[in-house]
Amino acid sequence: MEPVNFSAKKANLTRRSELLRAVREAFYAKNFLEVATEVKIPAPAPEEYIESVACQGEFLRTSPELAMKQLLCNGMERIFQIGPAFRAEEKGRKHREEFTIMEYYAVNWNYRELAEFTAEMLLYACKKLFNTSVINYQGREIDFQSCSYITVDEAFRRYAGVSAFDADKDGSFDELMVLKVEPELGKRNPEFLIDYPASRASLSRLSKADNRVAERWELYINGIELGNAFGELTDAAEQRRRFAQALEFRKNAGMLPYPEATEFLDALEKGMPEASGCAIGFDRLAMIFCDAYDIEEVIFEAKRK
């Protein structure tokens, strides 16, 4: 794409700042406390498709998740953080190796309650910035006054013509998600894709109503994934099992070796309250509010020689 002139970028950076203020106001209104945790950490959460950046014998965080959950284990109840995170070799119109993450947790909220708060926060920000609930993003009207929910299985059946569980078993899940499902989500309003197959639970707990699925959702607007949320797993033994499985996957895939996330797992052993948490890519959210096609339009990057 053509380089963005600085006049346009200045307008986007100004709106980005206004968006930061608005979401903070929404958090404060619900009695969330803003926290800050370390960016350089001894051990990231082992994830199968996300690679950390090694730094002086430690790692730059891919998210503040493990540290924030330790705060929950130590008695904090509603917390949020907006700050830098790093994922190796990610660059594209929706990706950067360094990006801004907005992460938040609420004790005694289930994952659907967290989705409702998220929708309310986005509506508040929209009205604060534009004095309306409807904005135009890339030629499509998005109405923040309402939101919609669709299960992963329903989305796969509707847009890919197959069951999500069958796609998960035959290895076509990721390809169908990217090519068939994601482009159809959030075309009219924020849309929550909920209840992932249990094998894709990540750090979420399984549903008590249906153990085939996990208490997990992702948020989409006009085909762009903005956030990932869990009804948090509090079972330390199960968390250790999942981490061991992920570490074995990473080893077999030739990925960067990680040490065990000892501090987090020890905190989990002592007890973590029932909670839900979400991580949103703030740069992508700024893209939506700035009607920007490329993430480059809403961040400032010094040109390196």
Side-chain angles (χ1 to χ4, degrees):
M1 62 177 290
E2 292 295 321
V4 178
N5 67 68
F6 196 76
S7 177
K9 177 159 286 191
K10 181 180 178 181
N12 285 346
L13 293 177
T14 300
R15 183 167 292 170
R16 177 191 174 104
S17 178
E18 294 168 347
L19 178 60
L20 274 169
R21 178 180 295 185
V23 297
R24 279 191 166 99
E25 289 174 356
F27 281 120
Y28 297 148
K30 289 291 187 178
N31 298 316
F32 279 79
L33 180 70
E34 186 165 9
V35 299
T37 59
E38 292 177 314
V39 173
K40 187 159 74 79
I41 59 176
E47 298 180 83
E48 296 177 351
Y49 300 105
I50 295 176
E51 189 70 293
S52 184
V53 175
C55 179
Q56 298 176 323
E58 294 189 306
F59 304 87
L60 300 181
R61 67 185 186 188
T62 57
S63 95
E65 179 172 8
L66 300 190
M68 293 182 76
K69 287 180 178 178
Q70 288 177 61
L71 291 175
L72 298 185
C73 292
N74 282 281
M76 302 192 83
E77 295 185 349
R78 295 186 191 180
I79 54 176
F80 79 98
Q81 180 168 185
I82 303 173
F86 300 81
R87 296 181 182 179
E89 299 178 3
E90 292 200 2
K91 182 156 184 170
R93 83 172 185 93
K94 297 181 290 184
H95 298 86
R96 283 297 186 275
E97 187 170 81
E98 179 180 354
F99 62 100
T100 300
I101 197 165
M102 179 169 73
E103 192 147 337
Y104 48 103
Y105 294 84
V107 169
N108 294 327
W109 284 10
N110 65 43
Y111 73 130
R112 293 294 292 264
E113 289 172 314
L114 197 71
E116 291 167 5
F117 164 75
T118 302
E120 291 171 2
M121 174 173 59
L122 297 182
L123 174 61
Y124 175 84
C126 186
K127 288 185 172 180
K128 188 79 172 180
L129 270 63
F130 303 106
N131 200 33
T132 178
S133 66
V134 181
I135 65 171
N136 184 288
Y137 180 66
Q138 299 296 292
R140 190 182 298 279
E141 282 195 349
I142 306 296
D143 189 353
F144 286 87
Q145 188 65 53
S146 63
C147 65
S148 55
Y149 296 84
I150 186 171
T151 68
V152 175
D153 191 48
E154 181 183 353
F156 266 72
R157 290 178 185 276
R158 182 180 301 179
Y159 301 124
V162 297
S163 161
F165 302 104
D166 290 341
D168 191 40
K169 289 176 183 176
D170 68 23
S172 64
F173 186 97
D174 293 316
E175 182 179 5
L176 291 174
M177 174 70 89
V178 171
L179 297 180
K180 299 289 187 180
V181 177
E182 286 187 327
E184 301 299 325
L185 300 175
K187 285 186 172 181
R188 294 180 296 276
N189 52 24
E191 187 162 24
F192 295 92
L193 182 67
I194 67 171
D195 298 346
Y196 275 67
S199 64
R200 295 171 181 271
S202 188
L203 275 69
S204 64
R205 63 190 176 197
L206 299 187
S207 169
K208 294 178 182 177
D210 182 356
N211 64 11
R212 297 179 308 153
V213 301
E215 292 186 354
R216 177 184 176 189
W217 55 255
E218 291 188 323
L219 170 64
Y220 287 85
I221 294 178
N222 201 24
I224 295 177
E225 180 214 331
L226 295 174
N228 190 19
F230 304 144
E232 298 296 345
L233 180 64
T234 58
D235 183 329
E238 173 63 13
Q239 187 66 82
R240 286 184 184 277
R241 186 193 69 79
R242 291 190 196 178
F243 273 9
Q245 188 177 47
L247 286 169
E248 184 65 20
F249 177 94
R250 292 178 60 82
K251 178 181 177 181
N252 293 337
M255 299 175 74
L256 195 65
Y258 292 166
E260 186 179 71
T262 306
E263 290 183 3
F264 165 68
L265 291 169
D266 288 348
L268 203 60
E269 290 279 5
K270 294 175 183 176
M272 177 173 153
E274 298 292 312
S276 291
C278 177
I280 285 179
F282 186 82
D283 307 309
R284 292 188 185 182
L285 186 60
M287 285 172 60
I288 302 296
F289 279 79
C290 292
D291 191 20
Y293 176 78
D294 194 295
I295 204 169
E296 192 272 339
E297 300 172 59
V298 299
I299 62 175
F300 178 75
E301 295 176 300
K303 301 300 180 184
R304 292 177 172 83
K305 294 182 180 179

